[in-house]
Amino acid sequence: MGETAALDGDPAPAPVGLRERKREETRRRIILAARVGSLDAGIDGLTIDAIAREADISPRSFFNYFPNKEAAIAGVIPGTARALTADELDQLPADVVDAVVAIVVAVLGRQVDSTNTDLRREVFVRFPELLDEFRPFWKASVRTASVSVTDLLLRRGSTAESSAVVAPVLVAMCVSVVRTMLARGELDSVELAHGVRPIADAIRSTAEVVTGGPRGRTS
């Protein structure tokens, strides 16, 4: 199965009410205003008042969506991390390393606004320091991904005891590799889904260094 199958196969979102739709529309207006404004004025020159004005909201309302202008520019969406469903777990690659990476990438990707991809990439290229905005979400991502990896291992025959021990270790290693590759510019912060294979390869290379031998695929 393709390495991004689990990432592209998210189930259709549940129907949402008018209030939620309006809230999402407002969030996207804020993100768009923040990104365009940052490219025009720079992060330091951009003000929340300016973002609010362009997004047609009050400055006070801005804080109902984002804690600061940097988070709005980055498009970080708090509280959106969730474990994968049983159907999503069944669509993961057969190889365990690839599957774990796909889980972590899916969990991380859900916490970032996915609209205006070209504009988002331009912002991150110009302001790489925006990656710092994701730091508060690493712990939540590790916890959420660990739940899914535990479920994955159980579904593939591991015992409950070994799954509970191995899952957080695998996830922590994967997240560390993602953070390192992002910091080095070796991974596209916008299109994380495209990084499944290089992340998995980096984990295997790390395992070879630690163990002193190659670690081939399990399938």
Side-chain angles (χ1 to χ4, degrees):
M1 184 172 294
E3 65 187 43
T4 61
L7 304 176
D8 298 331
D10 286 348
V16 294
L18 178 61
R19 176 179 296 182
E20 284 304 311
R21 288 200 301 271
K22 287 185 174 181
R23 181 174 176 82
E24 182 59 28
E25 290 171 0
T26 300
R27 186 196 308 279
R28 290 183 175 179
R29 289 203 311 274
I30 294 172
I31 293 172
L32 178 60
R35 288 174 175 167
V36 172
S38 68
L39 292 173
D40 289 342
I43 294 179
D44 291 340
L46 180 65
T47 66
I48 289 176
D49 283 350
I51 296 173
R53 184 169 56 252
E54 290 298 320
D56 195 25
I57 60 171
S58 69
R60 184 176 181 179
S61 295
F62 172 92
F63 294 102
N64 292 329
Y65 295 86
F66 298 100
N68 53 53
K69 61 184 178 181
E70 290 82 4
I73 299 169
V76 174
I77 307 175
T80 51
R82 68 169 177 81
L84 274 66
T85 65
D87 287 342
E88 290 172 319
L89 291 175
D90 287 341
Q91 295 177 41
L92 291 173
D95 180 81
V96 173
V97 175
D98 286 350
V100 171
V101 173
I103 288 172
V104 171
V105 167
V107 171
L108 291 175
R110 288 167 180 165
Q111 299 180 79
V112 184
D113 175 73
S114 60
T115 60
N116 301 306
T117 302
D118 291 339
L119 180 61
R120 183 161 49 124
R121 179 177 286 106
E122 184 178 357
V123 165
F124 275 101
V125 168
R126 183 168 171 183
F127 308 113
E129 64 270 22
L130 287 173
L131 290 174
D132 291 342
E133 291 304 311
F134 294 98
R135 288 182 179 177
F137 302 99
W138 289 116
K139 289 184 178 179
S141 297
V142 169
R143 289 194 298 269
T144 303
S146 294
V147 171
S148 291
V149 173
T150 299
D151 289 344
L152 172 74
L153 296 177
L154 288 172
R155 294 171 74 86
R156 295 190 178 185
S158 295
T159 66
E161 182 178 3
S162 64
S163 297
V165 173
V166 171
V169 174
L170 291 175
V171 171
M173 177 182 291
C174 182
V175 169
S176 295
V177 170
V178 170
R179 294 177 66 172
T180 300
M181 293 180 71
L182 285 172
R184 292 177 176 174
E186 298 171 354
L187 188 62
D188 190 337
S189 59
V190 175
E191 297 293 345
L192 272 178
H194 295 169
V196 171
R197 181 54 52 77
I199 294 169
D201 289 344
I203 291 174
R204 292 188 179 91
S205 296
T206 301
E208 290 179 17
V209 172
V210 172
T211 62
R215 283 291 182 270
R217 293 175 178 270
T218 60
S219 63

